[in-house]
Amino acid sequence: LLALGQMRDRPAQELAAFAVEEAIGLTKSRIGYLAALNEDETVLTMLYWSKSAYRACQIGEKPILYELVKTGLWGEAVRQRRPIITNDYAAANPWKKGLPEGHVPISRHMNLPIFEKDRIVAVAGVGNKETDYNEHDVRQLHILMDGWWQVAERKRAEAELWKALER
């Protein structure tokens, strides 16, 4: 969090990349992602795929926008408004909608919503940890991503303020 707080002057994309790569390390995962949620909570916009996920993904044109109603398991964090842990991704699950051809193989998955007051503003996820995800992993990811959001939101507010002052 200290390093993240010191990155206030860095571009938003760099903040997102740092947060995801740190999340992977904190949770001992192999892949991760971060997606913003629009104001009416209907569309997710991918902000960052981890370097490892991007390299392993064989999907040609990777989509950036995802309608929530069309998402499978990874959209459940928004629909249920809570962290979702799936330690046996191969098991039958009514929330799954399958993976597109070329998608990174997933063995375990954990994601959570990032809130600003009562509104979900983003979803962060990690995957393929060698051991089961647990509540400790949820807390680590939650703390880190709340910190990311605070820095990103402050950066956005400062930019708006400077823009208003220039008028």
Side-chain angles (χ1 to χ4, degrees):
L1 287 176
L2 178 61
L4 191 57
Q6 293 172 339
M7 296 176 69
R8 286 192 308 252
D9 296 339
R10 308 305 303 168
Q13 182 67 18
E14 192 174 322
L15 291 173
F18 178 84
V20 172
E21 298 299 340
E22 287 296 310
I24 290 170
L26 282 172
T27 60
K28 297 178 176 57
S29 298
R30 293 196 177 132
I31 59 174
Y33 60 87
L34 180 59
L37 188 63
N38 68 341
E39 199 163 321
D40 66 359
E41 298 184 4
T42 59
V43 178
L44 288 153
T45 302
M46 192 59 64
L47 299 175
Y48 184 77
W49 284 285
S50 66
K51 292 175 188 172
S52 56
Y54 201 82
R55 279 191 307 266
C57 183
Q58 299 299 309
I59 298 171
E61 289 190 38
K62 296 165 183 62
I64 299 295
L65 299 176
Y66 299 86
E67 291 180 59
L68 184 63
V69 296
K70 294 180 180 177
T71 62
L73 188 58
W74 75 287
E76 286 304 312
V78 176
R79 288 186 281 271
Q80 295 188 37
R81 306 184 75 74
R82 66 176 181 86
I84 302 293
I85 294 175
T86 308
N87 281 318
D88 182 2
Y89 202 85
N93 186 320
W95 302 334
K96 288 192 326 190
K97 292 187 178 179
L99 297 174
E101 187 175 328
H103 192 282
V104 176
I106 299 176
S107 56
R108 290 180 178 81
H109 179 256
M110 176 184 79
N111 69 348
L112 55 81
I114 301 162
F115 285 90
E116 181 181 296
K117 298 181 182 169
D118 293 334
R119 185 172 79 82
I120 298 174
V121 293
V123 174
V126 290
N128 295 349
K129 181 179 177 181
E130 288 189 21
T131 59
D132 285 354
Y133 287 106
N134 57 43
E135 289 304 313
H136 176 75
D137 296 313
V138 170
R139 281 192 302 278
Q140 292 293 316
L141 188 59
H142 197 282
I143 290 167
L144 177 63
M145 290 303 164
D146 279 351
W148 162 77
W149 177 252
Q150 290 172 14
V151 172
E153 185 59 13
R154 180 181 176 143
K155 184 176 183 61
R156 185 200 59 75
E158 286 173 355
E160 281 186 15
L161 178 61
W162 282 112
K163 193 179 235 183
L165 292 173
E166 291 173 355
R167 291 182 197 159

